[in-house]
Amino acid sequence: MDASYYVSLRIAKAGKPHTDGETLILPCVKDIVQYLFTEKEVKVLEKIPLSDSTVCSRIADMALDVKEQVIKELQPARYFAIQMDETTDVVNIAQLMAFVRY
């Protein structure tokens, strides 16, 4: 279901635990939908898979898709250059940046 990809993307961008989908986001959305609509719509939401393992696999699927898109863009290029840099952010976590020109 596409909805779980959207939620997983937001979880990944926020850097939150994968369990937030099932324990926080889905219950909040259910409360909102139940308040605004009927129980029928809430039943539809219960079909959205947001378990820890599902969110993890959705994030992995999206990462693989990005990797495949980059490779597909680079394959026809005659020349390309890769520049990489590592820095440390304010909480002392290493961050890696990669630039590709082609």
Side-chain angles (χ1 to χ4, degrees):
M1 183 174 265
D2 288 344
S4 65
Y5 279 96
Y6 286 108
V7 175
S8 298
L9 179 61
R10 289 201 178 265
I11 290 171
K13 282 183 174 181
K16 297 295 182 180
H18 297 163
T19 55
D20 278 4
E22 192 173 43
T23 60
L24 179 64
I25 296 172
L26 189 58
C28 289
V29 172
K30 282 181 176 179
D31 290 343
I32 293 167
V33 170
Q34 188 173 15
Y35 177 76
L36 294 175
F37 303 105
T38 65
E39 195 66 33
K40 180 181 175 186
E41 285 82 7
V42 174
K43 296 282 186 203
V44 174
L45 292 175
E46 291 173 356
K47 296 178 184 176
I48 300 172
L50 287 176
S51 69
D52 175 30
S53 59
T54 301
V55 171
C56 183
S57 69
R58 297 290 192 250
I59 292 170
D61 288 348
M62 290 184 281
L64 181 62
D65 183 55
V66 169
K67 179 182 173 182
E68 289 172 355
Q69 287 180 41
V70 170
I71 290 171
K72 186 177 178 181
E73 280 283 319
L74 289 176
Q75 281 180 334
R78 193 168 196 191
Y79 302 102
F80 67 91
I82 297 175
Q83 178 182 359
M84 300 179 89
D85 188 25
E86 182 183 1
T87 187
T88 306
D89 63 14
V90 293
V91 289
N92 207 26
I93 296 176
Q95 300 291 325
L96 177 67
M97 293 186 301
F99 295 94
V100 180
R101 295 182 68 178
Y102 60 99

